[in-house]
Amino acid sequence: DTAVSQTPKYLVTQMGNDKSIKCEQNLGHDTMYWYKQDSKKFLKIMFSYNNKELIINETVPNRFSPKSPDKAHLNLHINSLELGDSAVYFCASSNQGHGGNEQFFGPGTRLTVL
Amino acid sequence: GQQLNQSPQSMFIQEGEDVSMNCTSSSIFNTWLWYKQDPGEGPVLLIALYKAGELTSNGRLTAQFGITRKDSFLNISASIPSDVGIYFCAGQRGYGNNRLAFGKGNQVVVIP
């Protein structure tokens, strides 16, 4: 299946732990994103990478560190997890360029910090 | 970042009814997108609009790119139970600019 996939789907962990979420897309897109969706369902952009280069870095604590080993993968590592990090994290991908920016989303990772 | 004003925030409709929702901005956008999010899933792209005045349909869905380029609307005709979900509008301001601004979503509930 052509898609954006994320692992894990659910992640429950203790405060202070370090965790990673992985994202892969096989759509041949050159740009990938991480979004955070809070309890009110608001989608907030966190990071964007184009061809492995960071191009969007919103005001996100530096405990969050994205890594893009190649343009098909964008992982998110979170250090010293806090209660407020609990949310659903979505990965997305698109092709940058003239004509629009149709972003395709993964299924999400629900992170619960206890 | 730029926010889009999406209204209404929620709506309860009877099965078979038509539903309309809109999205406005104080800024001009070059692209408007409409997404639907089912519970426990990621947003799925429904319709993409690229030209002012453009009217595009996808099955029972119809969306329009406003002439002023500051708004867009989405209509769902003859709603069915599986139309339940959160509908998001999203806009892109510049060509090649890959940042999307999202509305806060519209929760649609269809009553059988």
Side-chain angles (χ1 to χ4, degrees):
Chain A
D1 289 344
T2 55
V4 180
S5 59
Q6 295 178 230
T7 54
K9 175 80 169 170
Y10 300 96
L11 186 52
V12 181
T13 188
Q14 297 282 342
M15 254 186 357
N17 284 349
D18 303 340
K19 290 293 179 186
S20 291
I21 308 171
K22 295 186 176 182
C23 178
E24 176 181 1
Q25 56 92 6
N26 61 5
L27 298 167
H29 290 164
D30 59 10
T31 307
M32 297 183 72
Y33 313 79
W34 278 111
Y35 286 85
K36 180 180 181 181
Q37 186 174 48
D38 60 23
S39 57
K40 295 184 179 178
K41 305 302 182 183
F42 176 53
L43 280 163
K44 181 177 168 57
I45 183 75
M46 300 173 69
F47 301 103
S48 175
Y49 272 73
N50 174 256
N51 285 316
K52 302 194 298 175
E53 285 193 30
L54 181 65
I55 54 172
I56 294 176
N57 185 356
E58 289 295 293
T59 308
V60 177
N62 58 13
R63 297 181 295 104
F64 290 78
S65 52
K67 284 193 171 47
S68 182
D70 56 61
K71 69 177 187 178
H73 295 85
L74 180 62
N75 303 324
L76 183 64
H77 188 76
I78 315 170
N79 288 328
S80 303
L81 279 154
E82 299 178 357
L83 294 177
D85 297 333
S86 295
V88 182
Y89 292 84
F90 288 102
C91 177
S93 72
S94 72
N95 265 331
Q96 190 177 9
H98 185 85
N101 181 21
E102 299 176 14
Q103 294 185 16
F104 293 83
F105 286 78
T109 296
R110 180 173 292 277
L111 172 65
T112 303
V113 182
L114 304 175
Chain B
Q2 172 73 46
Q3 292 300 312
L4 301 179
N5 301 309
Q6 192 171 348
S7 63
Q9 290 190 354
S10 62
M11 45 200 326
F12 292 78
I13 55 175
Q14 291 286 340
E15 183 177 357
E17 285 185 348
D18 298 345
V19 58
S20 182
M21 60 193 84
N22 74 332
C23 198
T24 62
S25 170
S26 57
S27 303
I28 288 173
F29 283 81
N30 290 320
T31 302
W32 286 93
L33 306 174
W34 284 93
Y35 287 87
K36 182 193 178 198
Q37 184 177 17
D38 290 331
E41 302 293 333
V44 173
L45 183 64
L46 298 174
I47 292 180
L49 301 160
Y50 297 108
K51 291 172 59 174
E54 179 181 357
L55 185 71
T56 297
S57 293
N58 177 6
R60 293 177 297 103
L61 307 175
T62 302
Q64 185 157 30
F65 192 142
I67 288 291
T68 65
R69 294 162 67 193
K70 293 183 178 181
D71 63 343
S72 177
F73 73 74
L74 175 72
N75 283 344
I76 307 172
S77 62
S79 58
I80 60 177
S82 62
D83 291 333
V84 164
I86 302 176
Y87 291 79
F88 290 97
C89 63
Q92 179 187 7
R93 293 185 64 183
Y95 296 117
N97 174 356
N98 62 359
R99 183 186 296 266
L100 285 181
F102 278 87
K104 292 189 175 181
N106 175 2
Q107 173 72 63
V108 171
V109 177
V110 179
I111 303 166

